[in-house]
Amino acid sequence: QVQLVESGGGLVQPGGSLRLSCAASGSIFSPNVMNWYRQAPGKEREWVASINSGSTTNYAASVKGRFTISRDNAKNTMYLQMNSLKLEDTAVYYCKVFVVTQGRDYWGKGTLVTVSS
Protein backbone atom coordinates (compact mmCIF):
# COMPACT_ATOMS: atom_id res chain seq x y z
CA GLN A 1 0.00 0.00 0.00
CA VAL A 2 1.01 3.58 -0.67
CA GLN A 3 -0.06 6.59 1.34
CA LEU A 4 0.25 10.13 0.01
CA VAL A 5 -0.09 13.24 2.16
CA GLU A 6 -0.16 16.72 0.66
CA SER A 7 0.74 19.86 2.59
CA GLY A 8 1.59 23.50 2.01
CA GLY A 9 -1.74 24.85 0.84
CA GLY A 10 -3.19 28.08 2.12
CA LEU A 11 -4.35 31.58 1.27
CA VAL A 12 -2.15 33.72 -0.95
CA GLN A 13 -2.61 36.98 -2.84
CA PRO A 14 -2.47 37.14 -6.64
CA GLY A 15 1.13 37.23 -7.77
CA GLY A 16 2.28 35.38 -4.69
CA SER A 17 3.95 31.99 -4.27
CA LEU A 18 3.34 28.74 -2.47
CA ARG A 19 5.20 25.46 -2.28
CA LEU A 20 3.22 22.26 -2.03
CA SER A 21 4.66 18.97 -0.80
CA CYS A 22 3.50 15.40 -1.27
CA ALA A 23 5.04 12.89 1.09
CA ALA A 24 4.77 9.26 0.07
CA SER A 25 5.05 6.26 2.34
CA GLY A 26 4.59 2.56 1.80
CA SER A 27 5.55 0.45 -1.19
CA ILE A 28 6.68 3.03 -3.68
CA PHE A 29 8.90 1.34 -6.20
CA SER A 30 10.63 2.69 -9.25
CA PRO A 31 9.78 3.25 -11.93
CA ASN A 32 6.90 5.52 -11.09
CA VAL A 33 5.35 8.75 -12.25
CA MET A 34 4.25 11.38 -9.75
CA ASN A 35 1.65 13.94 -10.70
CA TRP A 36 -0.13 16.99 -9.41
CA TYR A 37 -3.79 17.48 -10.23
CA ARG A 38 -6.21 20.16 -9.14
CA GLN A 39 -9.93 20.62 -8.88
CA ALA A 40 -11.47 24.06 -8.78
CA PRO A 41 -14.94 24.62 -7.32
CA GLY A 42 -17.58 23.41 -9.74
CA LYS A 43 -15.03 22.07 -12.22
CA GLU A 44 -13.59 18.70 -13.11
CA ARG A 45 -10.24 17.58 -11.80
CA GLU A 46 -7.43 18.52 -14.17
CA TRP A 47 -3.84 17.43 -14.54
CA VAL A 48 -1.23 20.07 -13.64
CA ALA A 49 2.23 18.53 -13.90
CA SER A 50 4.13 15.26 -13.78
CA ILE A 51 7.61 14.00 -13.03
CA ASN A 52 8.92 10.49 -13.58
CA SER A 53 11.59 8.50 -11.80
CA GLY A 54 14.20 10.00 -14.11
CA SER A 55 12.98 13.52 -13.27
CA THR A 56 11.55 14.21 -16.71
CA THR A 57 8.83 16.84 -16.26
CA ASN A 58 5.72 17.89 -18.11
CA TYR A 59 3.29 20.74 -17.46
CA ALA A 60 -0.17 21.81 -18.41
CA ALA A 61 -0.14 24.86 -20.65
CA SER A 62 -1.98 26.89 -18.01
CA VAL A 63 0.88 26.59 -15.49
CA LYS A 64 3.96 26.26 -17.68
CA GLY A 65 6.53 28.88 -16.80
CA ARG A 66 4.93 29.58 -13.43
CA PHE A 67 4.95 26.19 -11.65
CA THR A 68 7.91 23.88 -11.11
CA ILE A 69 7.55 20.23 -10.16
CA SER A 70 10.41 18.40 -8.47
CA ARG A 71 11.05 15.33 -6.38
CA ASP A 72 13.45 14.08 -3.74
CA ASN A 73 13.66 10.32 -4.20
CA ALA A 74 15.59 9.84 -0.96
CA LYS A 75 12.70 11.40 0.95
CA ASN A 76 9.93 9.97 -1.27
CA THR A 77 8.61 13.51 -1.55
CA MET A 78 7.37 15.54 -4.47
CA TYR A 79 7.04 19.30 -4.58
CA LEU A 80 5.18 21.91 -6.59
CA GLN A 81 6.62 25.40 -6.49
CA MET A 82 3.89 27.78 -7.60
CA ASN A 83 4.84 31.33 -8.54
CA SER A 84 2.88 34.22 -10.03
CA LEU A 85 -0.32 32.73 -8.73
CA LYS A 86 -3.59 33.78 -10.32
CA LEU A 87 -7.15 33.77 -9.08
CA GLU A 88 -7.88 30.86 -11.38
CA ASP A 89 -5.26 28.73 -9.63
CA THR A 90 -7.62 28.42 -6.68
CA ALA A 91 -8.34 24.72 -6.24
CA VAL A 92 -7.77 21.66 -4.16
CA TYR A 93 -4.43 20.24 -5.25
CA TYR A 94 -3.95 16.48 -5.24
CA CYS A 95 -0.90 14.33 -5.75
CA LYS A 96 -1.07 11.06 -7.56
CA VAL A 97 1.56 8.40 -8.09
CA PHE A 98 1.41 5.72 -10.76
CA VAL A 99 3.50 2.73 -9.79
CA VAL A 100 4.50 1.03 -13.02
CA THR A 101 5.22 -2.42 -11.54
CA GLN A 102 1.80 -2.46 -9.86
CA GLY A 103 -0.06 -0.89 -12.77
CA ARG A 104 -2.14 1.34 -10.52
CA ASP A 105 -2.60 4.85 -9.22
CA TYR A 106 -2.60 6.12 -5.65
CA TRP A 107 -4.12 9.46 -4.66
CA GLY A 108 -3.69 11.82 -1.74
CA LYS A 109 -6.57 13.62 -0.06
CA GLY A 110 -5.61 17.06 -1.30
CA THR A 111 -4.59 20.46 0.02
CA LEU A 112 -6.55 23.65 -0.59
CA VAL A 113 -4.92 26.60 -2.35
CA THR A 114 -6.89 29.84 -2.33
CA VAL A 115 -5.68 32.80 -4.36
CA SER A 116 -7.55 35.92 -3.32
CA SER A 117 -6.96 39.59 -2.69
Side-chain angles (χ1 to χ4, degrees):
Q1 274 296 72
V2 172
Q3 295 81 42
L4 302 174
V5 178
E6 303 95 335
S7 61
L11 175 64
V12 62
Q13 292 186 339
S17 298
L18 277 177
R19 188 194 195 204
L20 306 183
S21 299
C22 172
S25 60
S27 302
I28 289 232
F29 299 106
S30 288
N32 59 62
V33 183
M34 301 189 81
N35 299 265
W36 286 101
Y37 282 75
R38 67 186 180 185
Q39 187 165 18
K43 295 188 176 182
E44 293 187 354
R45 192 172 297 188
E46 65 173 358
W47 170 76
V48 174
S50 66
I51 184 167
N52 66 15
S53 301
S55 295
T56 298
T57 60
N58 287 285
Y59 297 92
S62 59
V63 306
K64 198 169 187 178
R66 299 188 298 122
F67 291 9
T68 302
I69 190 172
S70 61
R71 62 191 287 169
D72 184 334
N73 291 329
K75 295 181 179 179
N76 272 346
T77 301
M78 173 177 66
Y79 305 96
L80 186 68
Q81 178 66 43
M82 305 186 296
N83 298 329
S84 303
L85 282 161
K86 304 176 180 180
L87 296 175
E88 53 264 40
D89 294 318
T90 294
V92 177
Y93 283 72
Y94 299 89
C95 65
K96 185 191 84 168
V97 61
F98 175 70
V99 182
V100 175
T101 54
Q102 297 178 15
R104 63 160 292 179
D105 292 321
Y106 296 90
W107 288 88
K109 294 184 178 181
T111 185
L112 176 63
V113 172
T114 303
V115 183
S116 175
S117 55

